[in-house]
Amino acid sequence: EVQLVESGGSLVRPGGSLRLSCAASGFTFNHNAMAWLRQAPGKGLEWISAISGGSDTVYYADSVKGRFTISRDNSKNTLYLQMNSLRTEDTATYYCSTLNTWFEFDFWGRGTLVTVSS
Amino acid sequence: SFVLTQPPSVSAAPGRTARIPCAGNDIATKSVHWYQQRPGQAPVLVSYYDRDRPSGIPDRFSGSISGNTATLTITRVEAGDEADYYCQVWDSSSNPVVFGGGTKLTVL
């Protein structure tokens, strides 16, 4: 059974940093592209970053480019999101997901809440 | 950048058919995926590659495309289908993942 468990969300001040983790199990992690998405309270889904299985290809949404960094450790079956220069508009539940053949997000974690507020 | 447009809400009575549209210019040239998000839960993929269904998704859910509109059709609607539904494509642009704004399905 595929399991994705996010952690690391918390309350942080504007301008601060945070690192999210996503522990994966139940599938061959290094064979799968992975992604981070988020959902602000009461809003729709927003994709923010994706990374290939071997980390050779990464993508970022314009809204986070230059501030967020996606990475993975295939030896630990873990996906990361380093978030710097956080803004109040980054407040959201952050989800990690597998990214499949047709660029669909086929499995999702339950999410971790990041609140950026002074 | 590519834009997907969904109506904010759709309603259907139990046992009837709900159709949720997702409009986008030349959408038929892309692979369209659909997600269901029940209140307080993570999204779940219910249709991918225009019309395929992931394992475990009932055949009451089906995707289709006609012209510039993709549609998620839910037959024999149940109370448990009440949720937000999002369409999504991958676009070959600087912002490659595009979601529609979401449609809230209300079961009357």
Side-chain angles (χ1 to χ4, degrees):
Chain A
E1 178 194 5
V2 172
Q3 286 201 343
L4 299 169
V5 180
E6 303 93 338
S7 61
S10 70
L11 172 64
V12 61
R13 301 263 193 242
S17 297
L18 209 56
R19 189 176 86 154
L20 305 183
S21 301
C22 172
S25 61
F27 63 103
T28 306
F29 184 69
N30 62 4
H31 287 184
N32 266 78
M34 300 291 295
W36 288 99
L37 304 99
R38 68 185 180 185
Q39 187 171 36
K43 302 296 185 182
L45 299 172
E46 180 188 14
W47 165 80
I48 54 177
S49 186
I51 186 169
S52 61
S55 302
D56 49 302
T57 304
V58 296
Y59 298 94
Y60 295 98
D62 289 343
S63 58
V64 305
K65 203 171 291 182
R67 299 188 300 123
F68 290 10
T69 303
I70 192 171
S71 63
R72 61 192 296 160
D73 185 337
N74 287 343
S75 69
K76 296 182 178 179
N77 285 0
T78 303
L79 176 72
Y80 302 101
L81 184 68
Q82 177 66 43
M83 304 186 295
N84 299 331
S85 303
L86 283 161
R87 306 167 179 166
T88 55
E89 56 263 36
D90 295 319
T91 294
T93 295
Y94 285 72
Y95 297 100
C96 76
S97 173
T98 54
L99 181 58
N100 213 340
T101 307
W102 300 105
F103 302 104
E104 75 274 21
F105 304 101
D106 51 345
F107 294 100
W108 298 61
R110 293 188 175 187
T112 187
L113 178 62
V114 173
T115 303
V116 184
S117 175
S118 54
Chain B
S1 61
F2 196 76
V3 176
L4 293 173
T5 302
Q6 298 181 241
S9 62
V10 163
S11 61
R16 304 302 293 260
T17 297
R19 294 180 178 85
I20 301 173
C22 170
N25 194 31
D26 289 332
I27 196 173
T29 63
K30 307 186 185 301
S31 294
V32 182
H33 318 301
W34 289 92
Y35 304 86
Q36 175 195 66
Q37 187 178 31
R38 294 188 174 107
Q41 297 187 18
V44 172
L45 180 69
V46 294
S47 174
Y48 68 100
Y49 192 34
D50 300 339
R51 63 186 72 246
D52 285 351
R53 252 187 325 274
S55 172
I57 300 301
D59 61 6
R60 300 185 299 105
F61 291 81
S62 63
S64 62
I65 291 185
S66 179
N68 284 328
T69 301
T71 301
L72 179 69
T73 300
I74 309 170
T75 58
R76 305 184 301 281
V77 165
E78 303 173 356
D81 298 333
E82 190 160 281
D84 293 324
Y85 291 84
Y86 296 89
C87 57
Q88 176 249 317
V89 300
W90 180 278
D91 182 55
S92 55
S93 68
S94 61
N95 249 0
V97 178
V98 181
F99 280 97
T103 298
K104 179 176 178 58
L105 172 64
T106 299
V107 180
L108 301 171

